[in-house]
Amino acid sequence: MLRVHSLEKGMAHRSPRSFGASKATSLVRMLEVSSAETRDSTAYGMGVSVLHAWLGFHADRDDRDATSYELVEWFLRDARGDGYGGEGFAAGIRSISGRDPQEWVGLPFAEFVATRHSTRRYSAEPVSDDVVDMAVSLALLSPSACNRQMMRLHVIDDPVRKRLLYDTLHGTGGVDFDSCRIGVVTYDSRSLEFYGERNQGYFNAGLFAMTLVYALHWKGVGACLLQFGNTVAEERMLSQGLGISDFERIAVGISFGHLESSDVVPASVRRTVPEVLRIDTQGPALVHSND
């Protein structure tokens, strides 16, 4: 699914170019060795579907990688013949037009959630500090482990530090540098009591960040959470460069800006509920030892 999203993201760039030959080839190799169970999953259907979209994206491009293009064509012909042609999935990109955030204010929650997409395209209208303050005030209402409230949001507006953060974070490709505001969510490592809580910081950061992006969306501000998958040395360098305290750990980056009325975003097909939800009404039989 990571490779699916990577290909979708490339097709959603504001100025897309021929790309993704190695990723498409890698995805084909993964799908080729999939088990029968995997071939019935949403993930497999997404993989096949995004390869169709990738072919279509490159169909009229003279600079495409011919070897990878032909390999994907061959695989999709074979997959279709085996009954795994990706039908029923719509991976790739979606085009949005006529978007008006004012229409979301009174929506039921389920409909409101469905209107949000991670986006890297932002209008020239700056996001005010008042909007950020409001979003953070709502994010602070997120569940917090023992109410320790260990989260911080650092928004980096200084041009030099902004460039440092933009170039260090993973996944900033396609983000409108000039029009975005960008920052990181951190957690206070001093809040962790013992080794068993080693994941609490990231867990709490995720809860805070998700409420934050919904709050921004409520105000017509688009956002994209950006992976922080850097080394310890890179994190130390970045924290020092941004003036972040030694006891804070960087959990995730975020770019945000006012939404444009039209956009192109990854389709990001979701798994089905039965693939994710398990309701255990009767556990396995207990095995009793003879000892």
Side-chain angles (χ1 to χ4, degrees):
M1 295 178 80
L2 176 62
R3 285 172 176 78
V4 171
H5 179 69
S6 180
L7 293 175
E8 289 183 330
K9 184 171 68 175
M11 289 184 279
H13 276 203
R14 186 180 294 276
S15 300
R17 54 180 173 76
S18 184
F19 79 102
S22 62
K23 293 175 180 177
T25 299
S26 175
L27 179 56
V28 166
R29 297 307 183 202
M30 293 175 66
L31 296 175
E32 283 180 323
V33 297
S34 298
S35 66
E37 180 180 4
T38 298
R39 293 190 178 199
D40 286 330
S41 70
T42 299
Y44 186 89
M46 289 170 60
V48 174
S49 180
V50 80
L51 288 174
H52 279 292
W54 185 80
L55 277 189
F57 178 83
H58 286 93
D60 298 323
R61 293 179 179 268
D62 296 332
D63 60 341
R64 71 192 186 202
D65 184 278
T67 301
S68 298
Y69 190 87
E70 291 170 4
L71 172 67
V72 173
E73 278 190 315
W74 168 84
F75 170 76
L76 292 177
R77 283 196 298 268
D78 192 53
R80 189 178 297 111
D82 290 341
Y84 296 102
E87 293 81 3
F89 297 90
I93 56 176
R94 295 175 57 189
S95 294
I96 302 170
S97 61
R99 183 161 51 189
D100 181 6
Q102 292 301 315
E103 296 178 354
W104 306 336
V105 174
L107 285 179
F109 182 68
E111 294 181 30
F112 170 75
V113 169
T115 65
R116 202 202 78 82
H117 304 276
S118 292
T119 182
R120 292 169 166 81
R121 300 184 184 190
Y122 310 115
S123 75
E125 179 188 357
V127 177
S128 70
D129 288 347
D130 287 343
V131 169
V132 179
D133 287 349
M134 180 280 304
V136 171
S137 71
L138 294 178
L140 286 171
L141 301 178
S142 305
S144 175
C146 299
N147 200 32
R148 277 175 277 192
Q149 302 184 59
M150 62 186 76
M151 315 316 306
R152 299 289 185 277
L153 173 65
H154 297 264
V155 178
I156 311 301
D157 290 336
D158 174 79
V160 175
R161 290 182 170 183
K162 180 180 179 182
R163 172 53 68 181
L164 172 64
L165 177 57
Y166 185 93
D167 290 344
T168 304
L169 285 173
H170 294 191
T172 53
V175 172
D176 286 341
F177 177 82
D178 292 331
S179 57
C180 81
R181 296 188 76 176
I182 191 168
V184 290
V185 175
T186 68
Y187 67 89
D188 188 335
S189 62
R190 299 172 302 179
S191 299
L192 307 181
E193 288 288 314
F194 63 100
Y195 178 76
E197 290 194 324
R198 62 192 180 278
N199 296 320
Q200 278 286 5
Y202 295 106
F203 174 61
N204 280 256
L207 294 170
F208 177 91
M210 194 66 251
T211 305
L212 179 68
V213 297
Y214 277 134
L216 290 170
H217 183 62
W218 183 49
K219 287 296 186 180
V221 176
C224 185
L225 293 172
L226 304 167
Q227 178 183 187
F228 188 74
N230 301 74
T231 65
V232 172
E234 290 170 336
E235 180 178 5
R236 186 177 300 114
M237 176 276 296
L238 182 61
S239 293
Q240 291 174 350
L242 300 182
I244 296 175
S245 301
D246 292 340
F247 54 79
E248 291 183 66
R249 297 296 308 275
I250 299 174
V252 65
I254 181 173
S255 67
F256 58 95
H258 279 289
L259 291 165
E260 297 178 325
S261 61
S262 299
D263 201 353
V264 178
V265 297
S268 298
V269 177
R270 298 310 198 213
R271 296 181 188 272
T272 63
V273 171
E275 289 179 291
V276 176
L277 175 63
R278 176 189 175 191
I279 299 177
D280 190 348
T281 57
Q282 181 176 357
L286 297 176
V287 178
H288 298 281
S289 171
N290 292 326
D291 296 338

